[in-house]
């Protein structure tokens, strides 16, 4: 099977020296792809900068104007975590466009797996705010393009942080299902199991919080027990993945205990939700320990292409089974109340 | 001011935030309101040395001292999230604040921009009144 990646690597201008969201991350990701030795089975599509209209599907016009102007004037800190530079606006537009280019290629081929290897990441960016290292919501731009074509899009977010931006953008959209596994309680504070979507889209937000120390089996259990029935009912025509690798046990940004073998298993499970070949694309989000990031990219993409490249075994036995069961109950209770009362 | 029962004050330990707490504690005293001091714990907070947390505690104790309020009577909440979202959450249950108070620190790197200014972004998004306490 063909791996289709975007080819935009001109990201060096988006850097704040000493900040963990740094250009070296993307170099580690590319080393991870090289490890697969794909040769003719690797296609790098041409860089594409998302248009104003494509961005405006998921971001407010005033926010886009402000962000562009802020960068043009030299950038600076957007909050205690998030920076922008003079070059960030252009780089972020290419990051947001990369998914569009990959999806177009997948549609032409009706085959292959897409991987959008970009930075800055996107899943914390909401309609009108940058936060959590994110400026533009790359996966949301891609999902909105697909729904404009009549598709039903599943977004699986296995980054260790809850993708508050993506959740809020599609809160009331019945054509996008957002499923997130994340450490909880944790930054950004959202992602409780009773957050289930707005009145027009009840049940299309699925939050699967797990406690610090949780291993891969707990995350898989949450996806299988709680999310899978909802996904089967939703019947997506496309699957997009917010593929952060900061749930790896070596990552300094969080406290989950996954291995690169777990990401291979998560990739296989997520791919099983896609209705047919050529309907799956992964988007890079977090992942800050370069070795873990590289090996997790290799293992997960390798698994999707049918080869075992995992150098670490899937993990078992961490805490969280109870939390997963309780979260499932809390979700069902919230759904019952919302459906009974219309609240 | 009528109807102000609970006020939430953003606090990052800076002198501007101290000014906000100072104003908030006095206001709460005059209006018989409850005070919740809120510290946002961002993504990068885990890389900060523990001394930062101690500094925040010491800085809050210092302001309480100045106003003559017992530190034990002021609730300090450390909440996961960015400063703006965390303050907005204070307007929701269980805190259900009626007023948000912040300092001016975190002003945008560029005058006139909403972006990069926690206080202006907060004022734009908040469903309840926001007081921005100017630098003294
Ligand atoms: Zn993350």
């Amino acid at each position: 099977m063909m791996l289709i990646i975007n080819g935009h690597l001109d990201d060096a201008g988006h850097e704040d020296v000493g900040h963990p969201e740094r250009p070296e991350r993307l170099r580690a990701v590319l080393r991870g792809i090289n490890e697969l030795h794909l040769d003719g089975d690797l296609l790098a599509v041409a860089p594409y900068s998302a248009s104003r209209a494509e961005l405006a599907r998921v971001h407010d016009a005033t926010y886009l104007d402000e962000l562009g102007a802020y960068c043009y004037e030299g950038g600076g800190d957007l909050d205690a975590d998030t920076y922008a530079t003079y070059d960030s606006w252009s780089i972020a537009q290419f990051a947001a466009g990369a998914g569009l280019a990959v999806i177009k290629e997948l549609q032409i081929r009706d085959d292959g797996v897409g991987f959008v290897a970009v930075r800055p990441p996107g899943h914390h960016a909401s309609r009108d705010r940058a936060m959590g290292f994110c400026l533009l919501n790359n996966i949301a731009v891609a999902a909105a393009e697909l729904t404009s074509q009549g598709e039903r899009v599943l977004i699986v977010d296995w980054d260790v942080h809850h993708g508050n931006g993506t959740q809020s953008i599609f809160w009331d959209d019945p054509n996008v299902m957002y499923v997130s596994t994340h450490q909880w309680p944790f930054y950004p504070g959202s992602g409780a199991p009773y957050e289930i979507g707005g009145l027009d889209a009840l049940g299309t937000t699925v939050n699967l919080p797990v406690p610090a120390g949780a291993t891969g089996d707990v995350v898989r259990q949450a996806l299988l027990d709680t999310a899978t029935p909802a996904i089967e009912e939703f019947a997506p025509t496309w699957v997009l993945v917010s593929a952060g690798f900061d749930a790896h046990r070596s990552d300094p940004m969080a406290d989950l205990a996954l291995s690169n073998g777990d990401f291979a298993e998560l990739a296989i499970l997520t791919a099983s939700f896609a209705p047919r070949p050529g309907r799956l694309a992964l988007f890079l989000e977090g992942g800050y320990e370069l070795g873990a990031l590289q090996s997790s990219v290799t293992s997960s993409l390798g698994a999707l292409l049918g080869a075992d490249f995992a150098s670490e075994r899937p993990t078992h036995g961490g805490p969280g089974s109870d939390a997963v069961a309780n979260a499932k109950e809390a979700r069902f209770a919230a759904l019952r109340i919302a459906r009974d009362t219309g609240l | 001011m009528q109807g102000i029962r609970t006020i939430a004050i953003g606090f990052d330990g800076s002198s501007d935030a101290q000014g906000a707490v100072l104003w908030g504690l006095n206001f709460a005293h005059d209006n018989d309101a409850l005070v919740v001091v809120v510290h946002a714990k961002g993504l990068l907070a885990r890389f900060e040395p523990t001394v930062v947390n101690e500094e925040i505690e010491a800085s809050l104790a210092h302001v309480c001292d100045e106003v003559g309020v017992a530190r034990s009577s002021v609730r300090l909440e450390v909440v996961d999230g960015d400063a703006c979202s965390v303050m907005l959450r204070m307007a929701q249950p269980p805190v259900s604040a009626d007023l948000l108070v912040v300092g001016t620190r975190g002003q945008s790197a560029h005058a006139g921009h909403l972006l990069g200014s926690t206080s202006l972004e907060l004022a734009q998004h908040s469903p309840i009144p926001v007081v921005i306490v100017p630098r003294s």
Side-chain angles (χ1 to χ4, degrees), chain B residues 84-100:
Chain B
C84 184
S85 309
V86 161
M87 288 304 286
L88 290 174
R89 231 175 287 155
M90 292 301 116
Q92 310 292 329
V95 174
S96 303
D98 309 294
L99 181 72
L100 304 177

Side-chain angles (χ1 to χ4, degrees), chain A residues 2-92:
Chain A
M2 181 84 92
L3 179 67
I4 296 160
I5 65 166
N6 81 297
H8 183 65
L9 288 172
D10 192 11
D11 66 316
H14 181 69
E15 180 174 22
D16 182 13
V17 176
H19 195 287
E21 205 294 282
R22 58 206 192 277
E24 287 81 0
R25 297 180 60 238
L26 217 43
R27 311 285 100 72
V29 165
L30 293 179
R31 286 195 298 275
I33 294 171
N34 284 338
E35 287 291 309
L36 295 167
H37 302 292
L38 289 172
D39 304 322
D41 286 332
L42 178 68
L43 175 74
V45 297
Y48 173 73
S49 178
S51 71
R52 169 91 180 180
E54 286 158 346
L55 295 175
R57 289 196 186 112
V58 300
H59 290 292
D60 288 353
T62 46
Y63 171 68
L64 295 171
D65 291 342
E66 277 262 346
L67 185 61
Y70 190 79
C71 294
Y72 185 71
E73 289 175 27
D77 288 338
L78 290 160
D79 68 14
D81 300 313
T82 314
Y83 66 89
T85 66
Y86 178 82
D87 293 320
S88 296
W89 174 237
S90 158
I91 292 167

